[in-house]
Amino acid sequence: MKNGILATILLLAAVPVQAQDEGPPPADASQDMEALASAFGEMFPAEPLTPEQEARLPMAQAVVAHIFPPGTYARMMDEMMGPTMDSILGSMAQIPVAQLATIAGMEQSQVAAMGEAKLGEVMAIVDPAYERRNAVASDVMMEMMGDVMKRIEPSYREGLARAYAVRFEPSDLAELDRFFQTPVGGRYAAESMLIYADPQVMSAMNEVMPAVLEMMPAMMEQMQQRMEDLPEPRKMSDLSDAELQRLSELLGVPAADLRANAAEVEAAESEDAGDGV
């Protein structure tokens, strides 16, 4: 859950950068987001609770009330999202490097290499309001993310309760509830979710991205090695008439159009390959 929230922050933080560099989103962007939301919702199907699990759901809800009381998401917003957004939106990444490169007739890498101080001077000329624009973007995202968190918090709390009902026996839940009613237990319960937003924990996450980037070349090489024995994807010309007809029925596209489209793609790929030689 904590990593999912951070990923959402990073994704949303990229929006103003993309908007400055690429202009308004395409008209069908909302449809793409709906499709993405639908696909995400189908990633984690949950089995219905058994009668025994349903019976201990009230006990699980009592436990969850200790570890995830109302307002927990709001506190996480303040403790983790606020500083994270300030850091991201205050970085040089918010300077529209692509637009400046176009204006100057330079490569983006050349513009980025100018350094934050010089780029700040450039932006003061090109867009004197860019810092305020970033601040507005940050405020809007924080406000709207706060509204989203408030809306989904009850569902998340109910999901936690169902998970506890699945994973713990009634005796376990009773013992947890007793512990959480003690002073130290209550303090632990109240901090158990928020502690993942602690700067001490988040700073340790700084090691994740360099490690992932370091791993990428070896990962790509292993993928390529393990796929060497797999056949290449089939071309339309490889399909039998029956296969092409079935594909046409499945896609709702005439077989002749499928062959014509495939021929255009193959011709373009051949042309690109020739240009690269």
Side-chain angles (χ1 to χ4, degrees), residues 195-207:
I195 198 167
Y196 290 95
D198 189 278
Q200 299 293 339
V201 177
M202 299 305 298
S203 63
M205 295 299 292
N206 292 336
E207 302 177 11

Side-chain angles (χ1 to χ4, degrees), residues 55-264:
R56 55 182 182 249
L57 186 57
M59 297 181 67
Q61 291 170 335
V63 169
V64 169
H66 291 291
I67 64 174
F68 205 87
T72 299
Y73 262 143
R75 289 185 61 190
M76 294 187 75
M77 286 279 291
D78 291 339
E79 296 185 18
M80 181 174 73
M81 290 187 177
T84 301
M85 291 297 295
D86 289 343
S87 175
I88 293 173
L89 292 173
S91 70
M92 193 180 73
Q94 281 299 293
I95 294 177
V97 173
Q99 286 187 9
L100 294 181
T102 300
I103 293 172
M106 301 166 60
E107 296 291 334
Q108 292 188 34
S109 58
Q110 292 176 302
V111 174
M114 291 171 60
E116 187 170 355
K118 187 176 291 186
L119 283 174
E121 291 186 41
V122 171
M123 288 305 300
I125 298 172
V126 175
D127 182 7
Y130 91 99
E131 289 186 355
R132 179 55 189 158
R133 203 184 315 281
N134 290 342
V136 169
S138 175
D139 291 344
V140 171
M141 280 189 286
M142 288 296 294
E143 291 168 7
M144 297 191 72
M145 281 296 294
D147 291 341
V148 170
M149 293 302 184
K150 290 178 184 177
R151 191 171 74 236
I152 68 175
E153 187 176 83
S155 296
Y156 187 82
R157 190 179 296 108
E158 180 60 23
L160 273 178
R162 294 170 68 86
Y164 271 76
V166 169
R167 293 172 179 267
F168 294 95
E169 297 295 328
S171 58
D172 300 326
L173 294 170
E175 188 169 347
L176 284 171
D177 189 49
R178 283 194 297 271
F179 172 62
F180 290 152
Q181 292 186 49
T182 66
V184 66
R187 184 179 177 188
Y188 169 77
E191 299 291 335
S192 61
M193 305 296 286
L194 297 168
I195 198 167
Y196 290 95
D198 189 278
Q200 299 293 339
V201 177
M202 299 305 298
S203 63
M205 295 299 292
N206 292 336
E207 302 177 11
V208 172
M209 187 56 67
V212 170
L213 294 176
E214 182 180 351
M215 172 195 69
M216 287 297 291
M219 183 178 69
M220 298 302 294
E221 183 178 354
Q222 285 195 32
M223 286 183 182
Q224 187 173 2
Q225 290 176 353
R226 297 189 188 187
M227 293 181 185
E228 284 180 351
D229 295 334
L230 297 178
E232 291 293 328
R234 302 173 71 189
K235 299 179 180 179
M236 289 295 167
S237 56
D238 297 327
L239 303 183
S240 67
D241 291 341
E243 289 172 328
L244 182 63
Q245 182 59 37
R246 181 54 180 159
L247 188 62
S248 171
E249 294 171 358
L250 292 170
L251 297 175
V253 178
D257 291 350
L258 290 176
R259 286 200 186 277
N261 294 340
E264 290 181 8

